[in-house]
Amino acid sequence: MTLSLDYATLSDVGRVRRNNEDSAYAGPHLLLLADGMGGAAAGEVASAAAVQVIRRLDTADIGGEDMIEALAGAVHRANERLSELVEEDPEREGMGSTVTALMFDGKQLGLAHLGDSRAYRMRDGQLFQLSHDHTFVQSLVDEGRISQEEAFSHPHRNLILRVLDGRPDSDPDLEMLDVQAGDRLMLCSDGLPDYVSNDVIAASMASGTPDSVVVELITHALEAGSNDNVTCVVADVVETEPASGVTPQLVGAAAELAQGSTGRGEPTVAVRTGGPDGSGGAGGAGQGTAVDPEELRYAPRPPKRFPWLRRITVLVVILVLLGGGAWFGYSWTQKQYYVGTDGDYVAIYKGVDAEIPGISLSSVYERQPLLVDKLPTYSRQQVEGDIQAENLAGARSIVAELQQTAAECAKVKPTPKPSTKPGTPPVSTPPVSTPPASKPPVTTPAPTKASTTPTGPSVNPEDCDGVR
């Protein structure tokens, strides 16, 4: 069985404000409410922009669990749109908007919520709040520090902790909800529940048509002394064709801006409470103040003034860090030394044997009068592959050792070994006789092999292999 929505929506600027910062939309597949904030920082622009982006979800093409993904994507796109609007006009810095949306596929509801606007469901005479307020006071209730009754009159009940404001951390609550014929759904801005109790709201929603209910709820808020814009969306879940038809309804700032209005009224200079004459009344507290309460709705956050200057500063800091790191690295390379070759000669190099496109990290520091060819094979290979040194003194010490090796190898001359032909007996020298003496004659045989006595340095000739 496919169900339908019979809906109505209404927005009132209220008895105090001169511009409406609320926006709402109602259609066959989407109920949406956005409460802009920021006072002179264009809260009406924020709510209207959010509604204009998210209202595209009013389609029968999306259903089931896909509604959650669609809602999340739409809220993020709306957040990006707010960021773009601030970029276009820095005076809008600080604006934001709540978002509460119910997407309907005929069988289920998908809820997306961010801020302190609310979503309710009336079923079998019982009123139930579907959304969870993202406010400081609600956090106190959740922690058990105050009661729900105390929250209703708390002086900071409008202080919002999460809101759609163009920042990257604006993630909404998302939830799938069941729905059945006879359910009555209601979305409202904080101008209603901040001044009207749940009992009165439940009594108003218990009977009447959606059109009459939105009028009655807003009337209750104004009579209770609400100093804010008041907006309501009411929809009945029905099995028949909806009496409201399928034409979408758009109210509040979104409707005004769509009709060509600037959407910016004169700033509120005094907050009045009570009746239309501003003389005070139930819930009144005197003449008011020159400070717009909408300016105080956000939780304290660092100001985001001059975003272009901040971005330039961040860029400069990054460039300085990168430049400083590059200079530190280059300076370190110029304190390194190694022994290598410079043409046919041994040389001491300053730097490291590496290259960055367009930048050489080493240069010849000292060219030595030592030919590479005068070194034995092993030493020559070491030099050609570069010999790292701890410092300049170490490099010079390496060169000195190489020069000593070359000098010692230059003095070494290979001594040929005597060769003996096969079949030729060794030549022997006959013994030499000496005249008789007091000692018997001694015969000294001649050595059978030639012998040499080394006269050069103590270097193994084999270690000098490859010297040219």
Side-chain angles (χ1 to χ4, degrees), residues 294-311:
E294 286 295 287
E295 300 277 2
L296 307 176
R297 291 193 67 191
Y298 287 115
R301 292 189 178 191
K304 291 177 59 181
R305 297 177 182 271
F306 311 111
W308 58 269
L309 180 59
R310 231 179 17 260
R311 290 187 177 88

Side-chain angles (χ1 to χ4, degrees), residues 66-390:
D66 291 342
M67 293 190 294
I68 291 297
E69 183 177 352
L71 284 165
V75 172
H76 286 140
R77 286 191 296 273
N79 194 52
E80 292 171 358
R81 178 55 183 156
L82 263 61
S83 180
E84 293 172 357
L85 290 171
V86 173
E87 293 286 344
E88 295 171 4
D89 184 359
E91 290 187 1
R92 292 171 176 159
E93 184 65 57
M95 73 177 183
S97 176
T98 68
V99 170
T100 303
L102 286 173
M103 195 171 178
F104 179 64
D105 66 354
K107 298 178 181 179
Q108 291 177 296
L109 291 171
L111 169 68
H113 173 69
L114 190 65
D116 66 345
S117 297
R118 289 186 178 179
Y120 292 90
R121 179 180 62 201
M122 172 74 79
R123 176 180 290 178
D124 298 329
Q126 299 296 317
L127 183 67
F128 179 74
Q129 183 176 334
L130 300 174
S131 59
H132 188 77
D133 294 347
H134 298 147
T135 61
F136 170 69
V137 167
Q138 185 60 51
S139 69
L140 297 180
V141 174
D142 295 341
E143 295 170 4
R145 298 168 62 181
I146 63 174
S147 66
Q148 194 66 56
E149 292 71 22
E150 291 173 319
F152 184 77
S153 59
H154 197 283
H156 300 303
R157 64 183 182 275
N158 295 115
L159 193 61
I160 301 179
L161 301 180
R162 290 168 57 190
V163 72
L164 196 73
D165 61 357
R167 296 173 183 262
D169 57 349
S170 300
D171 295 323
D173 292 342
L174 300 167
E175 185 179 0
M176 290 295 296
L177 302 168
D178 69 294
V179 67
Q180 63 187 39
D183 285 351
R184 171 164 282 179
L185 308 171
M186 192 266 283
L187 308 181
C188 63
S189 60
D190 66 312
L192 174 65
D194 280 356
Y195 296 88
V196 181
S197 68
N198 284 345
D199 291 339
V200 174
I201 294 176
S204 297
M205 290 184 61
S207 61
T209 65
D211 288 290
S212 65
V213 172
V214 294
V215 172
E216 185 174 346
L217 289 173
I218 291 177
T219 300
H220 282 314
L222 298 178
E223 290 178 348
S226 176
N227 60 9
D228 200 354
N229 311 137
V230 188
T231 302
C232 291
V233 179
V234 174
D236 288 340
V237 180
V238 297
E239 297 177 326
T240 60
E241 290 295 323
S244 60
V246 294
T247 303
Q249 299 178 17
L250 185 66
V251 299
E256 294 174 4
L257 293 178
Q259 294 169 2
S261 168
T262 62
R264 298 184 65 85
E266 298 179 15
T268 302
V269 295
V271 176
R272 294 177 288 124
T273 57
D277 59 357
S279 59
Q287 276 303 106
T289 174
V291 178
D292 188 343
E294 286 295 287
E295 300 277 2
L296 307 176
R297 291 193 67 191
Y298 287 115
R301 292 189 178 191
K304 291 177 59 181
R305 297 177 182 271
F306 311 111
W308 58 269
L309 180 59
R310 231 179 17 260
R311 290 187 177 88
I312 292 176
T313 302
V314 171
L315 180 60
V316 169
V317 170
I318 292 174
L319 292 176
V320 168
L321 291 175
L322 291 176
W327 176 251
F328 176 80
Y330 180 77
S331 300
W332 177 85
T333 65
Q334 298 310 296
K335 295 178 182 178
Q336 310 304 309
Y337 294 88
Y338 67 92
V339 177
T341 61
D342 181 24
D344 295 332
Y345 290 86
V346 174
I348 295 177
Y349 281 81
K350 181 180 182 180
V352 294
D353 187 13
E355 286 190 4
I356 297 176
I359 302 176
S360 177
L361 298 179
S362 65
S363 60
V364 175
Y365 184 76
E366 289 179 355
R367 186 178 184 184
Q368 305 296 323
L370 173 60
L371 287 168
V372 178
D373 288 348
K374 298 303 181 181
L375 296 172
T377 301
Y378 177 73
S379 297
R380 185 166 61 250
Q381 290 176 346
Q382 282 188 308
V383 174
E384 290 174 347
D386 300 336
I387 305 174
Q388 298 297 324
E390 294 183 357

